[in-house]
Amino acid sequence: MPEETTNGTQAQTTLDICVAAGCLSCQGDLVKEALEKEIDARGLAERVAVRGVGCLGLCMAGPLLRVSPDGILYQAMVPEDAGEIVESIGKKPVKRLECDAEQSFFTRQVKIVLENSGEVDPDKLDDYTAVGGYDALAKAVGEMEPSEVISEMVTSGLRGRGGGGYPSGLKWGTVAKADGARKYVICNADEGDPGAFMDRSVLESDPFRVLEGMAIAGYAVGADSGYVYCRAEYPLAVKRLKNAIRQAERAGFLGSNICGSSFRFTVDIRLGAGAFVCGEETALISSIEGNRGSPRPRPPFPAASGLWDCPTLINNVETFANVAPIIRNGGEWFSGIGTEKSKGTKVFALAGRVQNTGLIEVPMGTVLRDIIFDIGGGIPDGRKFKAVQTGGPSGGCIPEQFLDMAVTYESLAQAGSIMGSGGMIVMDETSCMVDVARYFMEFCMTESCGKCVPCRVGTMQMHELLEKITQGRASMKDLDLLEELCEVVRFSSLCGLGQTSPNPVLSTLRYFRDEYLAHIRDHVCPAGVCKMKSPSKIHAEVA
Amino acid sequence: MQSDQTTVQGSKAGPAPPGAPGSDDRRWKLVSATMRRHGHSSQALIETLHTVQEVYGYLDDDSLKQVAHALGVPLSKVYGVATFYHFFTLKPQGEHTCVVCMGTACYIKGAPTLVAAVNEVAGISTGETTADGKLSLLSARCLGSCGLAPAVVMDGEVVGRIGDNDMKARITNWLESPGAEVANA
Ligand SMILES: Cc1cc2nc3c(=O)[nH]c(=O)nc-3n(C[C@H](O)[C@H](O)[C@H](O)COP(=O)(O)O)c2cc1C
Ligand code: SF4
Ligand code: SF4
Ligand code: FES
Ligand code: FES
């Protein structure tokens, strides 16, 4: 898309530079300024435009810059490179800074959720509408009955991307049918999973898309207002969202008489305050109401009685980001992508000991090995793959024997993990799996809201046992006790946090039991991570 | 996510005394504005605490009392909410803040050794402030910059892929720099 220059003419060349948080923290903003200065200084302002765009995906190589229409990609620039880059426009690219745009990382992705990421300026509504933004909302309110919107969602087979994988169409239908004069739509942008940053990136790169999804949802279920519950730790996402709300309101895509219809929908932002449990839907509602984020028993489900006891639809950021393309292209189209039970694409945050860390979107059913070794570029420093952790604290570690598995909700569950929100943390032999389990248990222990005993006391006990193991002070009895506690906490906790907290322990016990045994019996940490007293010392203490 | 330097320093002046809801305090006006925007509803509690922390740098006792009074919420609940959420802090922060991300990606890429490095040069552990008030060391659950792991936030600025030595150098630099008034002049 040719960009307008400052004086309104069409630029021949556009420099698209990533202004999402990852690249900004590598001085992307300074590079952008330097480029603008160079262009001005050379009197090129009429021919060359600079534009800030959303995340281009390969965050670890940031700041990233794409030159259009030449299709050149630059990486890891510093402000001092600006002169050379501007000088090279229309000539030979700057070899030293080039990033291979033809590598599998870019070519093997299929983008639906991220289709505008890196393509539009997240601060400009015009950019969004230029690529068909808000067409889906106009179509929904102008040409479709709410029930038709819902049936399109059902046809699509979209499942919630916040972790549970609940069919979205079904949830929308339930809220639509619920009794209540007032209904609410909530976008869950708490993204508490450590190691996950998809939601952040979507909000920072394409905020209008999320708002469009929420408005369509509001129309479908009969709600006239919505909230985005966003982590306070994501200030840039909050800023872009605020700006997007203001612009959408001014243009009539939010507010009253949306797209000339009688439909009315407003969106407000509520800030989280750093509590993992607030991602749980009933805790989130309690937090919006100004209380501590303690979960409550379900039923009643929020769909029947949620925010201020009104029927409430809660979906994840990525779930809402899938809505506009589904309405635009039809549910059939969407259900043609992915596998039989896991439709569409999934955005993964690839991090840890992998060459290409960043954000990727692939069709459901993509093989794990392709994700890690082809798209991800494999394990750096000549090391060996050990496991990939998916699903955050509710998930598990998947060992090498599953590398040829197609990634779906079902296959991950079979392997003892979950899809979760899409964090994928690759580990090599420098990670100790017992230490990883201890790490997650510490997380769950400190994040437990304390409302119920099995979770509050159980996670603490489990953490203590794991600490004992990693310090080489544990006996086989402790291991038995740990396994017993896993069952108790899993089956008797009130909310998902407690119920799933044993998962990292169970999955590492399942595939890396020998590491536990090495710690307990031989007092050694095979990975060399855990610092333990030498066995002789322990025996001396016992004696 | 971090309160910026100016507000942290501003906290030295302290909020208006209780009973006289700081009408002359410019910062308290911002807090009042937040409460007004939400019609002084008890549901505005968290939003209000965000504003208090933003302008004063932390949640001090007097402000909490005033907020409780203004929103008609029991003080026990105000403290309950303030202590439930990790983002809120009831202690003033040091002149400089260093937040080490302890999320999974950062953890396996060396965050624990970064904490050890700060501990070595500044003698403080996570959650502590140096005796001279120069530095606070904090931890975060995940900054959402996992692609740049290990990541830290130094005085509000995200620094990715930082090594132990770079970390030590930056901290030493802070500890040895002259007082705030001079540094920020
Ligand atoms: C402890 C806990 C934390 C959660 N954190 C999040 C989160 O950060 N983001 C999210 O979208 N869903 C989170 N969930 C899932 C939500 O409760 C809810 O299922 C989801 O937002 C529904 O949206 P979806 O159907 O679009 O997935 C969490 C659940 C639990 C139990
Ligand atoms: S399971 Fe844990 S987090 Fe969930 S309600 Fe119980 S104590 Fe709170
Ligand atoms: S924490 Fe529980 S036991 Fe302690 S004072 Fe509060 S209500 Fe009472
Ligand atoms: S943040 Fe710039 S490429 Fe992801
Ligand atoms: S784990 Fe550190 S930024 Fe996400």
Side-chain angles (χ1 to χ4, degrees):
Chain A
M1 177 176 41
E3 184 70 357
E4 258 188 28
T5 59
T6 36
N7 56 10
T9 55
Q10 295 288 304
Q12 287 159 3
T13 305
T14 309
L15 306 182
D16 286 335
I17 182 159
C18 171
V19 289
C23 286
L24 286 186
S25 64
C26 316
Q27 299 197 314
D29 45 346
L30 299 183
V31 175
K32 183 165 177 262
E33 274 171 35
L35 286 169
E36 283 161 352
K37 250 199 213 132
E38 288 291 339
I39 289 166
D40 268 350
R42 282 158 216 252
L44 292 173
E46 283 186 21
R47 294 207 300 113
V48 185
V50 179
R51 192 166 68 132
V53 294
C55 178
L56 289 152
L58 196 55
C59 311
M60 49 86 68
L64 285 182
L65 166 72
R66 192 185 40 217
V67 184
S68 309
D70 314 18
I72 304 162
L73 197 61
Y74 290 124
Q75 64 180 2
M77 299 161 297
V78 290
E80 290 72 35
D81 294 327
E84 212 176 328
I85 292 172
V86 174
E87 189 61 50
S88 78
I89 292 172
K91 301 179 199 139
K92 266 207 198 107
V94 186
K95 264 260 142 354
R96 176 171 62 81
L97 300 171
E98 247 187 303
C99 174
D100 180 9
E102 292 306 313
Q103 60 181 302
S104 305
F105 182 87
F106 295 107
T107 56
R108 292 214 48 185
Q109 297 193 42
V110 174
K111 299 201 172 182
I112 296 174
V113 171
L114 302 178
E115 64 184 344
N116 296 333
S117 222
E119 302 292 331
V120 301
D121 181 334
D123 280 324
K124 287 200 184 127
L125 175 62
D126 288 350
D127 261 34
Y128 183 65
T129 50
V131 293
Y134 288 115
D135 286 357
L137 177 61
K139 177 176 168 186
V141 302
E143 302 165 21
M144 297 166 83
E145 290 297 322
S147 61
E148 288 175 87
V149 175
I150 290 171
S151 79
E152 214 56 67
M153 290 297 289
V154 172
T155 308
S156 77
L158 174 68
R159 295 169 64 175
R161 301 295 194 235
Y166 190 80
S168 305
L170 200 58
K171 199 191 267 186
W172 288 30
T174 312
V175 179
K177 279 191 230 109
D179 287 326
R182 273 215 99 161
K183 294 178 186 177
Y184 293 95
V185 171
I186 294 176
C187 173
N188 188 342
D190 197 46
E191 192 155 73
D193 275 18
F197 50 102
M198 325 37 73
D199 294 347
R200 167 186 198 153
S201 190
V202 169
L203 291 170
E204 284 173 1
S205 305
D206 199 8
F208 293 106
R209 171 68 86 83
V210 179
L211 296 176
E212 182 172 7
M214 289 179 73
I216 293 171
Y219 176 71
V221 305
D224 66 0
S225 62
Y227 289 94
V228 181
Y229 185 85
C230 187
R231 313 179 64 173
E233 290 89 336
Y234 288 175
L236 184 62
V238 172
K239 192 177 130 205
R240 298 233 165 109
L241 255 180
K242 275 190 183 152
N243 175 57
I245 291 173
R246 203 166 342 119
Q247 291 191 34
E249 275 172 353
R250 209 172 301 145
F253 295 122
L254 285 180
S256 309
N257 304 114
I258 290 176
C259 300
S261 73
S262 60
F263 174 55
R264 181 194 135 76
F265 191 74
T266 56
V267 176
D268 228 333
I269 301 174
R270 282 289 176 276
L271 291 187
F276 174 64
V277 72
C278 286
E280 198 277 339
E281 51 195 24
T282 61
L284 188 155
I285 287 170
S286 167
S287 185
I288 293 186
E289 291 171 351
N291 305 314
R292 296 166 64 135
S294 295
R296 59 160 177 76
R298 299 174 305 172
F301 288 91
S305 173
L307 191 59
W308 298 306
D309 301 327
C310 300
T312 303
L313 173 75
I314 301 190
N315 276 131
N316 164 265
V317 172
E318 192 182 328
T319 311
F320 280 124
N322 270 304
V323 172
I326 288 174
I327 298 304
R328 196 177 346 120
N329 304 324
E332 289 286 350
W333 161 80
F334 190 83
S335 71
I337 303 161
T339 69
E340 200 202 327
K341 285 186 181 154
S342 298
K343 305 289 188 195
T345 57
K346 178 78 194 90
V347 182
F348 291 105
L350 206 51
R353 301 271 178 192
V354 60
Q355 191 70 43
N356 300 330
T357 55
L359 216 61
I360 60 161
E361 181 172 359
V362 291
M364 291 277 192
T366 303
V367 172
L368 206 45
R369 188 185 297 278
D370 290 346
I371 295 179
I372 296 168
F373 288 88
D374 197 18
I375 299 174
I379 317 297
D381 306 325
R383 294 220 173 88
K384 215 174 140 302
F385 171 86
K386 187 170 191 175
V388 56
Q389 211 280 341
T390 71
S394 323
C397 296
I398 299 171
E400 197 177 359
Q401 72 213 64
F402 290 102
L403 275 177
D404 290 307
M405 179 179 90
V407 176
T408 63
Y409 287 101
E410 298 76 28
S411 66
L412 284 170
Q414 238 166 32
S417 188
I418 57 163
M419 177 84 70
S421 52
M424 268 199 186
I425 297 169
V426 181
M427 303 181 193
D428 63 15
E429 69 253 31
T430 58
S431 289
C432 163
M433 304 316 279
V434 188
D435 182 60
V436 167
R438 187 204 57 78
Y439 167 83
F440 280 112
M441 197 47 70
E442 182 185 3
F443 182 92
C444 292
M445 173 181 79
T446 33
E447 295 299 328
S448 166
C449 84
K451 180 167 177 164
C452 55
V453 176
C455 171
R456 183 177 70 233
V457 184
T459 52
M460 192 162 163
Q461 293 290 335
M462 289 169 77
H463 178 256
E464 209 164 293
L465 288 167
L466 286 161
E467 189 114 323
K468 242 173 135 177
I469 298 176
T470 53
Q471 290 172 353
R473 296 188 288 118
S475 65
M476 288 304 287
K477 253 194 166 149
D478 291 321
L479 189 61
D480 292 342
L481 184 57
L482 180 65
E483 294 194 84
E484 201 184 317
L485 275 170
C486 282
E487 297 307 303
V488 175
V489 173
R490 178 145 75 145
F491 291 111
S492 55
S493 291
L494 170 61
C495 85
L497 193 153
Q499 287 158 8
T500 60
S501 64
N503 287 357
V505 184
L506 290 167
S507 83
T508 47
L509 270 169
R510 181 159 156 195
Y511 301 118
F512 300 95
R513 202 178 183 89
D514 50 332
E515 289 195 26
Y516 281 84
L517 296 180
H519 284 77
I520 296 171
R521 291 201 173 134
D522 311 327
H523 308 287
V524 290
C525 172
V529 173
C530 306
K531 311 260 174 296
M532 40 184 94
K533 297 179 180 174
S534 70
S536 55
K537 250 196 192 150
I538 292 177
H539 291 143
E541 269 175 30
V542 173
Chain B
M1 65 171 281
Q2 286 309 298
S3 45
D4 68 40
Q5 260 337 92
T6 48
T7 61
V8 171
Q9 281 159 42
S11 66
K12 282 174 191 150
S23 47
D24 53 341
D25 186 336
R26 200 164 43 85
R27 287 168 296 166
W28 187 257
K29 284 203 178 117
L30 291 167
V31 178
S32 299
T34 301
M35 295 193 283
R36 206 174 326 115
R37 190 152 14 95
H38 294 276
H40 287 86
S41 141
S42 63
Q43 287 150 358
L45 178 55
I46 293 173
E47 296 293 304
T48 309
L49 295 182
H50 270 297
T51 311
V52 172
Q53 181 154 314
E54 216 174 288
V55 298
Y56 291 103
Y58 72 108
L59 304 180
D60 60 289
D61 287 348
D62 290 340
S63 297
L64 291 182
K65 282 178 198 147
Q66 289 182 35
V67 168
H69 179 76
L71 298 181
V73 176
L75 191 56
S76 60
K77 180 176 169 185
V78 174
Y79 273 97
V81 168
T83 52
F84 181 85
Y85 294 97
H86 306 300
F87 192 78
F88 294 134
T89 166
L90 284 89
K91 284 186 290 190
Q93 300 298 301
E95 188 184 310
H96 297 284
T97 53
C98 174
V99 187
V100 179
C101 175
M102 278 289 176
T104 325
C106 293
Y107 183 79
I108 72 155
K109 282 194 126 179
T113 67
L114 290 177
V115 172
V118 179
N119 179 267
E120 194 186 316
V121 290
I124 50 170
S125 313
T126 311
E128 294 178 353
T129 301
T130 52
D132 61 1
K134 275 261 182 208
L135 171 74
S136 292
L137 176 62
L138 305 164
S139 70
R141 273 309 178 198
C142 173
L143 307 167
S145 300
C146 323
L148 306 174
V152 297
V153 186
M154 309 203 68
D155 278 353
E157 182 201 345
V158 180
V159 186
R161 276 169 298 178
I162 187 170
D164 297 357
N165 289 333
D166 189 11
M167 182 76 157
K168 279 187 200 166
R170 283 170 182 254
I171 297 288
T172 311
N173 189 23
W174 274 351
L175 294 175
E176 287 170 1
S177 68
E181 289 74 18
V182 182
N184 288 289

